[in-house]
Amino acid sequence: MASYLLPCLTTKHEVDNVIRHTEEVVLVLRFGRDDDHVCLQLDNILAKAVDDLAKMAKIYAVNVDHVPVYTRYFDITLIPATIFFFNAQHMKVDWGTADHTKFIGTFKCKQDFIDVVEVIFRGAMKGKLMVQSPLDPTSLQKYELVYKEI
Amino acid sequence: MSFKQYKYCSMCKLNNNLGKKHVYSKRHQIVLNNILQKFETKIVHAKSTLFSPDVQDAGFESGAKFWCYFCQIEASKHVVSEDCTVLGSGLLHHISSDEHRASMDQFFWDNLVKKERRPKFILTPADLTIFEKSSFLAVKKYQKAKTEEIKQLAATLSASEHLRCQRLTESMQAEQGTSNVNQSHFATSVGNQSAWDSSQSVTQKPKRTIMAHAEGLACVSQAGPPGEGNVHSGALPPWLQTESDGLRTEIGPTAADFTKHLEQKKKAKLPAGRVGANFDHSDSVSHDWLPSFGRVWSKGRRLQSKQHFEKEWKKGGGSLNKKYSSTITSIVKDNSDEHLPLNTSQKPASAVTSCGGIVPYKRKLEPAASKINTDWSGSGQYTNQMFPYRTSAASTANQNAGYKNVTDFNAVNRSALGDSVLTETRIESSSNFITDSTAVPYKRKRIREDNPASVHLIQTPILSLDPHTITK
């Protein structure tokens, strides 16, 4: 497990604990693989922002291969996928893309990420489960998703 | 008329420009007489004690001072030794000093006072010695008297103490013959425990009341254990007995409680309406716990989505089952000619792919791209026609509001293509994807007609329904 940039979570139990016991701060879970280059890019940005956001957020990296339950539950199909929680409640963000439940891809710069976390934090403090993203939609990773009725 | 400077006469408290003539003015004369009279009376009073000085205790009129009009100074009236004061001694000493004499002369000269009055304000050295001797004797006498007084006081005190003790012993003897009544007349010295025991010296057996009756009063009786002592037996009083049960030495909250309290206080300051405010962060949770998650495609309550997922999970036997993913790559018909746009893989581990491999916005996929594409499809030729995004019937099959085929690689397995082939190619292809770091797909907004060869490129989704692309 190479990730010396961010704390890693390897089992479902660990992820559960982290989600349940992070109190009053935004919990950022990056789902991806350690050796994937886009994930590494994102990890770099997240690691740089850890100190700046210390009072607002806690950031962890999760390997998708090790927690298939969550991979399925959160419907993670593209990596890196970043999911935000607050007090064990999942926070949705309207990025202007199809999927509001997670952030797919990497951020353009550290400040973008900080802005996102701040918006989420403020929204959470006000009791909103869904917030509007401050990022420029053109700077986001574009992707396509197709769904199928199960 | 010559000009005379205004001068201030401190006695009259008046400015005048008469110069020396001011002394003759009526006002000044009156004031002068008053002053001299006052001072004289003081000095006469002090001189009267010349042969028999008055001695008092040390705190008598402490700090008392007098104003000498001639010297214009304030001097202390009495002299204080260690345990007594001699009244008027200070004044007399000042009167007899040389400075006073000199200033007196000056005063008399300025204010044109007759010389006859001088001796009244002076004390001759002879008189002073007389005074000192007599004061010495007086002090001695005073001290003696004082010690006498103290001795007498001590004597009276001891006498009364003795008397008291006597009476006490008498009462003790008297108690023997009477009934069991508490002898609290004489306030015994309730000092310590030993006093208890000794004063209530157990000359007879300790007793306890078992019955009492009085008219108009309620009877209170408690039968305690027979071994228990009480006031009369001289047992240890309850408030001196160490605690036998209940609280230990510590009182108050523990350190853990305190930190918890502080945290609670901090939390109370947060807005009450925040998300998850009432979430109980306690530890007890089952193995199957999942957080509340609003799924990607679903509308409705989050709880529903969780239940849905649990159902699926159970159905799938607790393992990853491709078929039931809500987000899929593509549903492909079983037509073998169909080219799968995407990789399929049986390995759950590689079900998720890097989206970094998706979009090289910056540069077009050149011959290398075609190689990549062939890897995907597993077939040699790759033409525009065969490009899945345009041509695949599959895309029409599962068309949804303008979303094209996904670039997500979770495809259902194709029997036409061998698994092994795909997995291999997949691994290869990933290496053929963007390798240099500059190809960050944010830099430029992709315009469709930018590049005529853009047909080879993976197109971004265009939400507007373009009939063109759909039908193809």
Side-chain angles (χ1 to χ4, degrees):
Chain A
M1 197 62 67
S3 187
Y4 44 83
L5 294 170
L6 297 169
C8 266
L9 306 173
T10 44
T11 61
K12 180 194 185 278
H13 185 66
E14 273 180 38
V15 177
D16 278 355
N17 274 345
V18 158
I19 292 175
R20 289 180 66 82
H21 294 297
T22 309
E23 304 191 12
E24 320 306 338
V25 284
V26 177
L27 174 64
V28 181
L29 294 181
R30 178 229 80 185
F31 284 83
R33 296 200 185 102
D34 288 340
D35 45 1
D36 177 71
H37 66 277
V38 186
C39 285
L40 284 171
Q41 250 182 313
L42 178 62
D43 280 358
N44 184 34
I45 288 176
L46 295 181
K48 283 196 279 184
V50 165
D51 287 329
D52 294 329
L53 295 170
K55 289 192 180 164
M56 267 206 289
K58 286 223 155 58
I59 307 174
Y60 292 89
V62 185
N63 194 320
V64 289
D65 303 327
H66 296 176
V67 284
V69 186
Y70 278 125
T71 309
R72 284 300 308 277
Y73 184 56
F74 295 143
D75 224 355
I76 295 168
T77 45
L78 297 169
I79 55 168
T82 314
I83 305 191
F84 300 94
F85 291 88
F86 190 87
N87 269 345
Q89 307 295 321
H90 168 240
M91 300 290 297
K92 288 199 189 187
V93 184
D94 180 6
W95 316 98
T97 61
D99 190 353
H100 295 342
T101 60
K102 52 182 103 59
F103 181 78
I104 295 191
T106 180
F107 295 94
K108 200 164 168 184
C109 56
K110 183 175 85 159
Q111 190 53 46
D112 274 354
F113 174 60
I114 291 172
D115 290 342
V116 168
V117 170
E118 183 177 346
V119 162
I120 291 172
F121 186 81
R122 283 184 192 277
M125 279 297 160
K126 291 209 182 112
K128 298 187 183 175
L129 285 170
M130 173 106 152
V131 294
Q132 183 71 28
S133 150
L135 301 183
D136 181 17
T138 54
S139 66
L140 301 177
Q141 174 77 55
K142 293 182 176 44
Y143 50 88
E144 305 169 3
L145 300 173
V146 174
Y147 78 86
K148 159 194 146 191
E149 291 293 332
I150 315 167
Chain B
M1 266 303 250
S2 67
F3 173 73
K4 287 209 181 82
Q5 180 63 30
Y6 271 88
K7 283 202 182 130
Y8 180 72
C9 172
S10 54
M11 285 205 290
C12 315
K13 293 178 198 158
L14 208 63
N15 286 307
N16 63 324
N17 63 345
L18 305 167
K20 287 231 170 137
K21 288 187 192 168
H22 169 68
V23 184
Y24 299 105
S25 65
K26 203 161 67 168
R27 186 201 180 89
H28 188 92
Q29 290 293 326
I30 289 167
V31 169
L32 188 67
N33 273 325
N34 282 340
I35 283 172
L36 289 173
Q37 230 173 0
K38 271 197 269 184
F39 205 23
E40 204 178 314
T41 44
K42 278 185 199 170
I43 290 171
V44 160
H45 182 76
K47 279 186 181 173
S48 64
T49 63
L50 199 66
F51 294 101
S52 54
D54 193 7
V55 180
Q56 301 288 337
D57 59 342
F60 187 87
E61 278 187 13
S62 65
K65 291 189 178 166
F66 73 96
W67 177 254
C68 177
Y69 292 97
F70 308 147
C71 316
Q72 308 270 328
I73 58 164
E74 205 177 16
S76 55
K77 221 193 266 183
H78 316 303
V79 165
V80 181
S81 55
E82 55 285 347
D83 55 351
C84 56
T85 60
V86 181
L87 302 185
S89 174
L91 191 142
L92 291 174
H93 275 97
H94 175 77
I95 295 297
S96 54
S97 66
D98 292 334
E99 302 91 30
H100 176 79
R101 200 197 176 99
S103 51
M104 189 193 72
D105 287 340
Q106 181 63 37
F107 183 85
F108 275 36
W109 180 265
D110 289 335
N111 292 293
L112 301 169
V113 186
K114 292 186 182 149
K115 287 186 185 176
E116 288 84 33
R117 296 176 86 171
R118 276 191 203 184
K120 290 183 190 162
F121 300 97
I122 289 279
L123 189 71
T124 55
D127 286 340
L128 187 67
T129 49
I130 292 166
F131 177 74
E132 276 180 2
K133 277 182 193 165
S134 51
S135 71
F136 181 74
L137 289 169
V139 163
K140 277 274 178 303
K141 212 168 96 175
Y142 174 80
Q143 282 170 343
K144 218 161 123 183
K146 221 172 172 190
T147 46
E148 273 298 316
E149 204 181 310
I150 289 169
K151 276 184 193 161
Q152 263 200 338
L153 206 64
T156 46
L157 282 173
S158 59
S160 60
E161 179 75 22
H162 183 69
L163 202 64
R164 189 181 60 77
C165 287
Q166 262 188 338
R167 290 213 184 112
L168 194 65
T169 49
E170 280 169 18
S171 71
M172 288 296 293
Q173 285 155 7
E175 195 182 298
Q176 276 185 7
T178 61
S179 63
N180 199 5
V181 174
N182 201 2
Q183 301 281 352
S184 55
H185 293 302
F186 311 104
T188 52
S189 63
V190 188
N192 44 9
Q193 200 180 325
S194 55
W196 267 97
D197 296 336
S198 59
S199 61
Q200 312 281 347
S201 57
V202 188
T203 48
Q204 75 283 17
K205 288 188 210 144
K207 291 192 180 124
R208 171 187 291 279
T209 321
I210 53 169
M211 257 194 341
H213 174 74
E215 201 166 314
L217 294 178
C219 176
V220 175
S221 62
Q222 289 167 6
E228 203 180 45
N230 64 4
V231 158
H232 305 295
S233 69
L236 198 65
W239 56 87
L240 292 179
Q241 290 165 5
T242 54
E243 76 264 3
S244 51
D245 62 338
L247 309 168
R248 289 297 128 197
T249 49
E250 276 185 32
I251 48 171
T254 62
D257 283 341
F258 182 60
T259 47
K260 210 172 168 187
H261 172 71
L262 287 178
E263 269 172 46
Q264 268 177 350
K265 263 173 78 174
K266 262 198 231 171
K267 275 207 182 170
K269 290 186 190 166
L270 295 173
R274 69 187 186 277
V275 168
N278 51 359
F279 181 72
D280 180 24
H281 291 272
S282 62
D283 247 340
S284 58
V285 71
S286 74
H287 178 71
D288 300 321
W289 179 83
L290 290 166
S292 81
F293 182 77
R295 302 182 88 184
V296 181
W297 303 106
S298 58
K299 289 181 206 165
R301 293 169 57 217
R302 289 189 176 191
L303 197 58
Q304 273 177 6
S305 66
K306 187 169 173 181
Q307 288 166 348
H308 207 171
F309 176 79
E310 304 244 307
K311 247 195 303 181
E312 275 176 50
W313 191 252
K314 282 207 187 102
K315 247 199 255 176
S319 68
L320 206 63
N321 194 332
K322 290 304 181 47
K323 278 198 174 168
Y324 299 112
S325 168
S326 63
T327 308
I328 57 158
T329 54
S330 71
I331 296 299
V332 190
K333 287 190 185 167
D334 289 343
N335 206 339
S336 57
D337 291 339
E338 275 302 324
H339 299 288
L340 250 197
L342 309 148
N343 251 334
T344 65
S345 164
Q346 279 294 32
K347 280 199 290 189
S350 47
V352 179
T353 67
S354 165
C355 61
I358 302 168
V359 187
Y361 287 134
K362 229 193 165 165
R363 58 192 181 124
K364 51 190 171 192
L365 296 174
E366 298 133 80
S370 54
K371 193 169 92 158
I372 292 163
N373 292 331
T374 47
D375 284 342
W376 288 345
S377 60
S379 68
Q381 295 309 309
Y382 187 83
T383 64
N384 190 7
Q385 287 293 329
M386 287 197 278
F387 193 88
Y389 290 85
R390 294 289 180 98
T391 62
S392 163
S395 65
T396 56
N398 52 359
Q399 208 41 245
N400 284 308
Y403 285 117
K404 295 191 187 168
N405 264 335
V406 324
T407 54
D408 174 327
F409 298 110
N410 266 351
V412 175
N413 191 15
R414 287 266 308 166
S415 53
L417 309 158
D419 294 2
S420 53
V421 170
L422 283 172
T423 49
E424 279 163 15
T425 53
R426 197 176 166 281
I427 292 159
E428 271 172 52
S429 59
S430 61
S431 62
N432 285 330
F433 289 174
I434 303 91
T435 47
D436 63 292
S437 54
T438 56
V440 175
Y442 306 121
K443 284 267 172 86
R444 199 161 81 92
K445 207 170 170 180
R446 186 118 285 272
I447 305 162
R448 262 204 134 142
E449 281 67 45
D450 216 11
N451 191 335
S454 65
V455 290
H456 293 290
L457 298 172
I458 300 164
Q459 300 286 343
T460 63
I462 293 144
L463 289 178
S464 64
L465 294 174
D466 196 348
H468 226 21
T469 53
I470 288 174
T471 51
K472 266 198 182 169

Short mmCIF file of all heavy atoms in Angstrom, two decimals, chain B residues 55-86:
data_model
loop_
_atom_site.label_atom_id
_atom_site.label_comp_id
_atom_site.label_asym_id
_atom_site.label_seq_id
_atom_site.Cartn_x
_atom_site.Cartn_y
_atom_site.Cartn_z
N VAL B 55 1.65 60.86 82.52
CA VAL B 55 2.09 59.71 81.71
C VAL B 55 0.89 58.82 81.41
O VAL B 55 0.13 58.45 82.29
CB VAL B 55 3.19 58.89 82.46
CG1 VAL B 55 3.61 57.72 81.60
CG2 VAL B 55 4.38 59.77 82.78
N GLN B 56 0.74 58.50 80.14
CA GLN B 56 -0.35 57.62 79.72
C GLN B 56 0.22 56.44 78.93
O GLN B 56 1.42 56.40 78.67
CB GLN B 56 -1.35 58.39 78.84
CG GLN B 56 -1.97 59.58 79.50
CD GLN B 56 -2.98 59.16 80.56
OE1 GLN B 56 -3.50 58.06 80.50
NE2 GLN B 56 -3.21 60.06 81.52
N ASP B 57 -0.66 55.52 78.50
CA ASP B 57 -0.16 54.36 77.73
C ASP B 57 0.20 54.75 76.28
O ASP B 57 -0.13 55.84 75.84
CB ASP B 57 -1.16 53.20 77.74
CG ASP B 57 -2.48 53.63 77.15
OD1 ASP B 57 -2.70 54.86 77.06
OD2 ASP B 57 -3.28 52.75 76.76
N ALA B 58 0.84 53.87 75.65
CA ALA B 58 1.56 54.19 74.40
C ALA B 58 0.67 54.75 73.30
O ALA B 58 1.09 55.57 72.50
CB ALA B 58 2.27 52.94 73.90
N GLY B 59 -0.59 54.35 73.27
CA GLY B 59 -1.41 54.78 72.16
C GLY B 59 -2.19 56.05 72.41
O GLY B 59 -3.05 56.43 71.62
N PHE B 60 -1.91 56.70 73.50
CA PHE B 60 -2.66 57.88 73.88
C PHE B 60 -2.35 59.04 72.96
O PHE B 60 -1.21 59.49 72.87
CB PHE B 60 -2.34 58.25 75.33
CG PHE B 60 -3.20 59.35 75.86
CD1 PHE B 60 -4.42 59.05 76.43
CD2 PHE B 60 -2.78 60.66 75.81
CE1 PHE B 60 -5.22 60.06 76.92
CE2 PHE B 60 -3.57 61.67 76.30
CZ PHE B 60 -4.80 61.37 76.87
N GLU B 61 -3.38 59.58 72.27
CA GLU B 61 -3.19 60.72 71.36
C GLU B 61 -1.97 60.56 70.47
O GLU B 61 -1.14 61.45 70.33
CB GLU B 61 -3.06 62.03 72.16
CG GLU B 61 -4.40 62.61 72.56
CD GLU B 61 -4.27 64.00 73.20
OE1 GLU B 61 -3.18 64.61 73.11
OE2 GLU B 61 -5.26 64.47 73.77
N SER B 62 -1.88 59.38 69.87
CA SER B 62 -0.71 59.16 69.03
C SER B 62 -0.79 60.02 67.79
O SER B 62 -1.83 60.13 67.16
CB SER B 62 -0.64 57.68 68.62
OG SER B 62 -1.73 57.36 67.82
N GLY B 63 0.30 60.65 67.42
CA GLY B 63 0.33 61.51 66.25
C GLY B 63 -0.20 62.89 66.49
O GLY B 63 -0.43 63.64 65.55
N ALA B 64 -0.40 63.24 67.73
CA ALA B 64 -0.90 64.60 68.02
C ALA B 64 0.21 65.61 67.79
O ALA B 64 1.35 65.43 68.23
CB ALA B 64 -1.38 64.67 69.46
N LYS B 65 -0.12 66.70 67.07
CA LYS B 65 0.91 67.71 66.74
C LYS B 65 0.38 69.11 67.06
O LYS B 65 -0.83 69.33 67.16
CB LYS B 65 1.25 67.61 65.26
CG LYS B 65 2.00 66.33 64.93
CD LYS B 65 2.52 66.31 63.52
CE LYS B 65 3.29 65.03 63.32
NZ LYS B 65 3.57 64.74 61.95
N PHE B 66 1.32 70.01 67.14
CA PHE B 66 0.93 71.40 67.35
C PHE B 66 1.67 72.28 66.36
O PHE B 66 2.74 71.93 65.86
CB PHE B 66 1.21 71.84 68.79
CG PHE B 66 2.68 72.03 69.08
CD1 PHE B 66 3.26 73.29 69.01
CD2 PHE B 66 3.48 70.95 69.41
CE1 PHE B 66 4.61 73.45 69.26
CE2 PHE B 66 4.83 71.12 69.67
CZ PHE B 66 5.41 72.37 69.59
N TRP B 67 1.10 73.46 66.10
CA TRP B 67 1.70 74.37 65.14
C TRP B 67 2.41 75.51 65.87
O TRP B 67 1.80 76.24 66.64
CB TRP B 67 0.60 74.94 64.22
CG TRP B 67 1.09 75.96 63.23
CD1 TRP B 67 0.90 77.30 63.27
CD2 TRP B 67 1.85 75.72 62.06
NE1 TRP B 67 1.48 77.92 62.20
CE2 TRP B 67 2.08 76.95 61.43
CE3 TRP B 67 2.38 74.55 61.45
CZ2 TRP B 67 2.79 77.09 60.23
CZ3 TRP B 67 3.09 74.69 60.26
CH2 TRP B 67 3.30 75.95 59.66
N CYS B 68 3.69 75.58 65.59
CA CYS B 68 4.45 76.68 66.20
C CYS B 68 4.40 77.89 65.27
O CYS B 68 4.89 77.83 64.14
CB CYS B 68 5.91 76.26 66.42
SG CYS B 68 6.92 77.58 67.10
N TYR B 69 3.80 78.98 65.72
CA TYR B 69 3.57 80.13 64.83
C TYR B 69 4.86 80.83 64.46
O TYR B 69 4.94 81.49 63.42
CB TYR B 69 2.61 81.12 65.50
CG TYR B 69 1.22 80.56 65.64
CD1 TYR B 69 0.81 79.98 66.85
CD2 TYR B 69 0.32 80.59 64.59
CE1 TYR B 69 -0.47 79.46 66.99
CE2 TYR B 69 -0.96 80.07 64.72
CZ TYR B 69 -1.34 79.51 65.93
OH TYR B 69 -2.59 78.98 66.05
N PHE B 70 5.83 80.74 65.37
CA PHE B 70 7.08 81.44 65.12
C PHE B 70 7.91 80.70 64.09
O PHE B 70 8.40 81.28 63.11
CB PHE B 70 7.88 81.60 66.41
CG PHE B 70 7.07 82.20 67.53
CD1 PHE B 70 7.30 81.82 68.85
CD2 PHE B 70 6.08 83.14 67.26
CE1 PHE B 70 6.56 82.38 69.87
CE2 PHE B 70 5.33 83.69 68.28
CZ PHE B 70 5.56 83.32 69.59
N CYS B 71 8.11 79.42 64.32
CA CYS B 71 8.95 78.61 63.42
C CYS B 71 8.21 78.19 62.16
O CYS B 71 8.83 77.69 61.20
CB CYS B 71 9.46 77.36 64.13
SG CYS B 71 10.03 77.61 65.80
N GLN B 72 6.93 78.36 62.20
CA GLN B 72 6.13 77.92 61.05
C GLN B 72 6.31 76.43 60.78
O GLN B 72 6.43 75.99 59.62
CB GLN B 72 6.48 78.72 59.78
CG GLN B 72 6.44 80.22 59.91
CD GLN B 72 5.08 80.79 59.60
OE1 GLN B 72 4.37 80.24 58.78
NE2 GLN B 72 4.72 81.89 60.25
N ILE B 73 6.37 75.66 61.79
CA ILE B 73 6.47 74.20 61.61
C ILE B 73 5.46 73.48 62.49
O ILE B 73 4.97 74.04 63.46
CB ILE B 73 7.89 73.65 61.92
CG1 ILE B 73 8.28 74.00 63.35
CG2 ILE B 73 8.92 74.14 60.93
CD1 ILE B 73 9.45 73.19 63.84
N GLU B 74 5.23 72.25 62.16
CA GLU B 74 4.34 71.39 62.94
C GLU B 74 5.21 70.37 63.67
O GLU B 74 5.95 69.63 63.04
CB GLU B 74 3.35 70.69 62.01
CG GLU B 74 2.08 70.28 62.68
CD GLU B 74 1.10 69.66 61.69
OE1 GLU B 74 1.53 69.27 60.58
OE2 GLU B 74 -0.09 69.54 62.02
N ALA B 75 5.12 70.35 64.97
CA ALA B 75 5.91 69.39 65.75
C ALA B 75 4.99 68.55 66.60
O ALA B 75 3.87 68.95 66.93
CB ALA B 75 6.92 70.14 66.62
N SER B 76 5.46 67.37 66.94
CA SER B 76 4.60 66.46 67.73
C SER B 76 4.55 66.91 69.19
O SER B 76 5.53 67.37 69.75
CB SER B 76 5.11 65.03 67.63
OG SER B 76 6.46 64.98 68.03
N LYS B 77 3.38 66.73 69.73
CA LYS B 77 3.14 67.25 71.08
C LYS B 77 3.72 66.37 72.17
O LYS B 77 4.29 66.84 73.13
CB LYS B 77 1.62 67.38 71.27
CG LYS B 77 1.17 68.64 71.99
CD LYS B 77 -0.27 68.55 72.42
CE LYS B 77 -1.19 69.17 71.40
NZ LYS B 77 -2.60 69.15 71.84
N HIS B 78 3.55 65.08 72.04
CA HIS B 78 3.97 64.15 73.08
C HIS B 78 5.17 63.35 72.62
O HIS B 78 5.48 63.28 71.45
CB HIS B 78 2.85 63.15 73.40
CG HIS B 78 1.51 63.78 73.52
ND1 HIS B 78 1.24 64.80 74.39
CD2 HIS B 78 0.36 63.54 72.85
CE1 HIS B 78 -0.03 65.15 74.25
NE2 HIS B 78 -0.58 64.41 73.31
N VAL B 79 5.81 62.78 73.63
CA VAL B 79 6.94 61.89 73.34
C VAL B 79 6.53 60.48 73.73
O VAL B 79 6.06 60.26 74.85
CB VAL B 79 8.21 62.33 74.12
CG1 VAL B 79 9.23 61.21 74.12
CG2 VAL B 79 8.80 63.58 73.49
N VAL B 80 6.74 59.55 72.80
CA VAL B 80 6.30 58.16 73.02
C VAL B 80 7.51 57.27 73.25
O VAL B 80 8.40 57.20 72.41
CB VAL B 80 5.51 57.64 71.79
CG1 VAL B 80 5.04 56.22 72.04
CG2 VAL B 80 4.36 58.55 71.47
N SER B 81 7.54 56.64 74.39
CA SER B 81 8.55 55.60 74.61
C SER B 81 7.88 54.24 74.41
O SER B 81 6.73 54.18 74.01
CB SER B 81 9.16 55.75 76.00
OG SER B 81 8.14 55.74 76.98
N GLU B 82 8.59 53.18 74.77
CA GLU B 82 8.10 51.87 74.31
C GLU B 82 6.73 51.50 74.86
O GLU B 82 5.95 50.86 74.20
CB GLU B 82 9.12 50.77 74.58
CG GLU B 82 9.61 50.60 76.01
CD GLU B 82 10.59 51.67 76.48
OE1 GLU B 82 11.10 52.42 75.63
OE2 GLU B 82 10.81 51.77 77.67
N ASP B 83 6.40 51.88 76.02
CA ASP B 83 5.11 51.45 76.55
C ASP B 83 4.24 52.60 77.08
O ASP B 83 3.14 52.38 77.53
CB ASP B 83 5.31 50.40 77.65
CG ASP B 83 6.24 50.93 78.74
OD1 ASP B 83 6.84 52.01 78.52
OD2 ASP B 83 6.36 50.27 79.79
N CYS B 84 4.73 53.84 77.00
CA CYS B 84 3.94 54.93 77.52
C CYS B 84 4.29 56.23 76.82
O CYS B 84 5.27 56.32 76.10
CB CYS B 84 4.17 55.08 79.03
SG CYS B 84 5.91 55.32 79.41
N THR B 85 3.45 57.26 77.05
CA THR B 85 3.77 58.58 76.52
C THR B 85 3.78 59.60 77.65
O THR B 85 3.02 59.49 78.61
CB THR B 85 2.72 59.04 75.49
OG1 THR B 85 1.45 59.08 76.15
CG2 THR B 85 2.66 58.16 74.30
N VAL B 86 4.64 60.55 77.45
CA VAL B 86 4.68 61.67 78.39
C VAL B 86 4.00 62.84 77.72
O VAL B 86 4.47 63.32 76.67
CB VAL B 86 6.14 62.06 78.78
CG1 VAL B 86 6.13 63.21 79.77
CG2 VAL B 86 6.87 60.86 79.31
#
